[in-house]
């Protein structure tokens, strides 16, 4: 337990250090302080080994700010050391060691930047694997529900536009699941070009995509469905026999809080609307008429 406490405290302090070093004013203060200390000790003792005090700041600069920051810090510190060497009367025989020292500091700055980039890419990959649907690249169901709860907690009004791909089962049976997958990808591509940046888009189930249109009422959701239909008209699938196939969908709309008091009931209401659209035909839009039920405990 004691070891865990020490580890937790160390991790907390490292996180605090990283947050502090992320501030430009703090970075500049640290750089000037290290420059003053290293150049001062170098000048006072005429011992160039003091310059290696700059190794840790160069590495930290790369870890926090990337390779560019690491190179700048290493370059400034190396430049200060070279000026000090020159003031002491740099000998030709010492030139090789000065070059090696400078390259080493620059390499440390770049190394920190490379590590920072690897960590950033790893964090991005972990976030994507936790929140994205692997087929379409849209939000997965869990992330979508989390987003809906957040919108509801913020008091936002929004509409769910549920799009159900027409004939997905037949596509899979006749041409195989890869064609069905391409149909979903085409739908996802079309949606990305027809919604706002803050709207939430998720794959729900095998052949449905749900869009949370933030701030949209049923009329706004209908307009979004029409835009999506026009974009989908330009999407075609190339079948194994060389022919092409258009992607068609059924649209269902449900609005919070008009049609449901929570996200689960809202998706259910939108699904009922999809059933109504299915009775009308492909590319038809139906709006839910469900009346919201009060949340339990309220």
């Amino acid at each position: 337990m004691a070891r865990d406490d020490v580890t937790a405290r160390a991790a907390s302090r490292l996180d605090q250090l990283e947050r502090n070093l992320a501030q430009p004013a703090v970075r500049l203060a640290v750089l000037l302080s290290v420059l003053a200390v290293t150049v001062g000790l170098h000048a006072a003792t005429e011992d160039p080994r003091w310059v290696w005090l700059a190794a840790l700041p160069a590495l930290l600069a790369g870890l926090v700010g990337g390779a560019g920051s690491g190179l700048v810090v290493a370059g400034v510190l190396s430049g200060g050391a070279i000026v000090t060497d020159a003031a002491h009367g740099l000998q030709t025989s010492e030139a090789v060691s000065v070059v090696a020292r400078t390259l080493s500091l620059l390499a440390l700055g770049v190394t920190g930047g490379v590590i920072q980039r690897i960590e950033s890419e790893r964090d991005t990959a972990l976030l994507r694997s936790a929140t994205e649907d692997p087929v379409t690249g849209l939000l997965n169901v869990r992330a979508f529900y989390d987003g809906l709860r957040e919108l509801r907690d913020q008091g936002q009004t929004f509409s769910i536009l549920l799009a159900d791909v027409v004939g997905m089962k037949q596509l899979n049976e006749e041409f195989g699941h890869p064609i069905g997958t391409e149909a979903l990808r085409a739908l996802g591509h079309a949606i990305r070009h027809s919604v706002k940046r803050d709207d939430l888009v998720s794959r729900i189930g095998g052949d449905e995509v749900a869009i949370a249109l933030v701030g949209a009422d049923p009329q706004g959701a209908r307009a979004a469905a029409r835009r999506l239909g026009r974009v989908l008209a330009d999407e075609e699938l190339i079948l194994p026999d060389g022919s092409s196939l258009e992607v068609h969908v059924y649209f269902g709309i449900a609005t919070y809080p008009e049609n449901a008091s929570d996200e689960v009931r809202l998706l259910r209401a939108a699904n009922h609307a999809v059933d109504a659209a299915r009775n009308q035909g492909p590319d038809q839009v139906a709006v839910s008429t469900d009346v919201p039920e009060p949340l339990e405990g309220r």
Side-chain angles (χ1 to χ4, degrees):
M1 179 64 70
R3 181 180 299 175
D4 292 340
D5 290 342
V6 171
T7 302
R9 286 197 298 271
S12 176
R13 289 173 181 171
L14 286 174
D15 289 340
Q16 184 62 46
L17 175 62
E18 183 176 355
R19 287 193 294 271
N20 290 337
L21 289 176
Q23 303 176 32
V26 174
R27 286 211 299 258
L28 179 60
V30 171
L31 171 60
L32 293 176
S33 299
V34 174
L35 180 62
V37 170
T38 55
V39 171
L41 291 172
H42 187 182
T45 63
E46 299 186 9
D47 186 350
R49 288 177 295 180
W50 286 110
V51 179
W52 290 109
L53 286 174
L56 182 57
L59 180 61
L60 285 175
L63 287 171
V64 174
S69 295
L71 283 173
V72 169
V73 171
V76 170
L77 296 171
S78 297
I82 291 173
V83 170
T84 305
D85 286 330
H88 289 156
L90 182 64
Q91 302 296 319
T92 304
S93 59
E94 298 173 331
V96 174
S97 62
V98 170
V99 171
R101 181 187 67 200
T102 301
L103 292 177
S104 297
L105 290 176
L106 293 174
L108 282 171
V110 172
T111 299
V114 170
I115 294 173
Q116 188 253 11
R117 182 169 182 176
I118 291 173
E119 290 291 323
S120 177
E121 291 178 349
R122 185 199 64 178
D123 292 343
T124 300
L126 287 174
L127 178 62
R128 291 184 62 180
S129 66
T131 61
E132 286 189 3
D133 171 63
V135 173
T136 62
L138 304 176
L139 292 175
N140 60 29
V141 175
R142 179 177 179 179
F144 186 63
Y145 273 94
D146 288 343
L148 294 183
R149 279 193 293 271
E150 184 175 347
L151 289 175
R152 185 162 57 83
D153 291 342
Q154 293 171 353
Q156 294 268 19
T157 60
F158 57 92
S159 289
I160 294 293
L161 176 60
L162 193 60
D164 186 0
V165 177
V166 175
M168 176 64 76
K169 182 178 180 181
Q170 182 179 352
L171 274 177
N172 289 332
E173 291 178 349
E174 188 170 349
F175 300 105
H177 286 277
I179 296 299
T181 297
E182 287 304 314
L184 283 172
R185 287 177 176 164
L187 179 57
H189 179 266
I191 290 173
R192 290 190 187 96
H193 288 79
S194 59
V195 299
K196 303 191 302 295
R197 183 183 298 272
D198 57 346
D199 292 333
L200 305 177
V201 187
S202 172
R203 180 187 179 191
I204 303 292
D207 54 1
E208 292 181 328
V209 173
I211 311 164
L213 301 164
V214 181
D217 58 12
Q219 290 72 30
R222 276 187 179 275
R226 288 194 293 268
R227 289 196 304 272
L228 179 54
R230 288 194 295 269
V231 176
L232 271 175
D234 297 328
E235 297 283 344
E236 289 188 345
L237 301 179
I238 304 302
L239 300 177
D241 60 5
S243 61
S244 61
L245 177 70
E246 295 181 352
V247 179
H248 296 278
V249 296
Y250 307 110
F251 294 107
I253 294 171
T255 302
Y256 173 83
E258 181 178 327
N259 297 126
S261 54
D262 65 15
E263 52 277 358
V264 175
R265 293 186 177 100
L266 190 64
L267 264 295
R268 190 182 304 148
N271 195 60
H272 292 164
V274 167
D275 291 338
R278 190 177 289 111
N279 293 330
Q280 300 173 26
D283 301 322
Q284 297 300 307
V285 184
V287 178
S288 174
T289 57
D290 291 2
V291 177
E293 303 172 13
L295 286 171
E296 294 180 7
R298 293 193 178 183

